[in-house]
């Protein structure tokens, strides 16, 4: 395989620049999720979304199925396919939440999480290498919690809105932190393979966050199911 040399080779991708772009793509995903929810709840209201019935189970299964299947083939995705998958996961997330919550609560939650990613990206952009590793994600969580507290206080939100927005902040921020090694490894692999741009790596990084979140939630649900099965009256553990 021929390798470019000298002035032909592009500069290497800096981790700080990469995570900044990942945050921007995740913020765009929040906008797309909110747009999908707004479409089915307000623009072209679908009755099944307001009834909160069978559609919840269908969208939950679809969201988990897409996340788990795409996660298996993640390393094979090119930039265009990764972008399409990111859009699909973002819209599915918006539709799933729309089948459970009201548009007002979704707007608040997605705005807080999107604001967290935008603020974190801007902070990293202007501070440079002074925020790296665990320190960056610690600041990200603080930003998300502060934005959630500020918005919920100003809007006099209910307890459930507080819980929902704070949970979404923790879910996305902790998943982003956990997926960082995978994001960096994916960027290095892409760069050494075809000297790709930072935006291509960032799109795959944002997709990795969504897929990692679906896998993590699936494992948590599976663990809870096993615990409940073990504690059920008919189980072997209970009979002993």
């Amino acid at each position: 395989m021929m390798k470019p040399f000298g002035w032909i080779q592009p500069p290497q991708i800096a981790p700080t620049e990469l995570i900044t772009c990942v945050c921007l793509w995740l913020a765009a995903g929040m906008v797309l999720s909110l747009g999908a929810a707004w479409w089915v709840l307000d623009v072209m209201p679908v009755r099944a979304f307001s009834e909160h019935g069978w559609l919840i189970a269908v969208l939950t299964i679809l969201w988990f199925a897409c996340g788990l299947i795409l996660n298996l083939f993640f390393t094979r995705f090119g930039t265009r396919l990764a972008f399409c998958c990111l859009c699909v996961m973002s819209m599915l997330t918006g539709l799933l939440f729309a089948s459970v919550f009201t548009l007002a609560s979704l707007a608040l939650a997605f705005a807080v999480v999107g604001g967290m990613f935008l603020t974190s990206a801007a902070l990293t952009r202007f501070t440079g290498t002074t925020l790296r590793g665990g320190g960056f994600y610690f600041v990200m969580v603080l930003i998300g919690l502060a934005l959630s507290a500020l918005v919920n206080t100003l809007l006099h939100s209910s307890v459930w809105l507080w819980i929902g927005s704070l949970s979404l902040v923790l879910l996305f921020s902790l998943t982003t932190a956990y997926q960082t090694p995978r994001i960096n490894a994916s960027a290095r692999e892409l760069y050494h393979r075809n000297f790709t741009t930072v935006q291509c790596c960032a799109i795959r990084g944002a997709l990795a966050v969504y897929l990692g979140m679906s896998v993590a939630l699936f494992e948590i649900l599976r663990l809870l199911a096993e615990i409940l099965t073990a504690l059920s009256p008919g189980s072997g553990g209970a009979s002993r």
Side-chain angles (χ1 to χ4, degrees):
M1 184 179 70
M2 297 183 61
K3 294 184 178 180
F5 58 90
W7 58 270
I8 300 177
Q9 179 175 332
Q12 293 189 6
I13 297 171
T16 304
E17 182 183 9
L18 175 61
I19 196 60
T20 300
C21 293
V22 169
C23 287
L24 292 176
W25 280 107
L26 288 171
M30 295 298 105
V31 175
L32 188 57
S33 296
L34 181 58
W38 173 61
W39 183 265
V40 297
L41 291 177
D42 188 63
V43 178
M44 297 287 291
V46 179
R47 184 178 178 181
F49 281 90
S50 60
E51 292 177 347
H52 308 297
W54 57 269
L55 193 60
I56 298 175
V58 172
L59 288 173
T60 300
I61 294 172
L62 184 61
W63 189 80
F64 278 119
C66 286
L68 295 175
I69 293 172
L70 293 178
N71 187 66
L72 294 176
F73 300 98
F74 175 77
T75 55
R76 304 182 184 181
F77 290 163
T79 304
R80 293 181 180 177
L81 184 56
F83 175 76
C84 294
C85 293
L86 177 61
C87 292
V88 169
M89 290 302 296
S90 298
M91 288 189 291
L92 276 178
T93 302
L95 294 177
L96 176 59
F97 277 81
S99 65
V100 181
F101 305 104
T102 64
L103 182 59
S105 61
L106 291 179
L108 186 149
F110 285 135
V112 167
V113 177
M116 175 187 70
F117 283 125
L118 286 176
T119 307
S120 300
L123 188 63
T124 308
R125 177 70 177 175
F126 292 113
T127 57
T129 58
T130 58
L131 278 178
R132 296 185 63 179
F136 169 76
Y137 297 106
F138 178 72
V139 173
M140 176 188 286
V141 172
L142 290 181
I143 291 173
L145 295 178
L147 285 175
S148 180
L150 177 62
V151 173
N152 282 295
T153 301
L154 292 176
L155 297 178
H156 304 286
S157 301
S158 65
V159 175
W160 290 112
L161 282 180
W162 275 86
I163 295 175
S165 59
L166 291 174
S167 299
L168 206 60
V169 163
L170 293 175
L171 179 62
F172 271 96
S173 58
L174 295 179
T175 305
T176 304
Y178 182 78
Q179 289 294 315
T180 295
R182 186 184 190 185
I183 293 172
N184 292 334
S186 174
R188 285 193 296 267
E189 185 265 335
L190 279 179
Y191 183 82
H192 289 304
R193 187 171 64 189
N194 54 13
F195 294 103
T196 188
T197 63
V198 65
Q199 290 298 338
C200 296
C201 297
I203 291 172
R204 280 174 51 122
L207 176 61
V209 173
Y210 275 95
L211 300 184
M213 187 166 56
S214 65
V215 172
L217 289 177
F218 179 79
E219 290 298 326
I220 291 173
L221 292 177
R222 186 175 66 84
L223 179 61
L224 290 175
E226 292 179 356
I227 293 175
L228 292 175
T229 302
L231 296 177
S232 63
S235 65
S239 61
R240 291 193 299 268

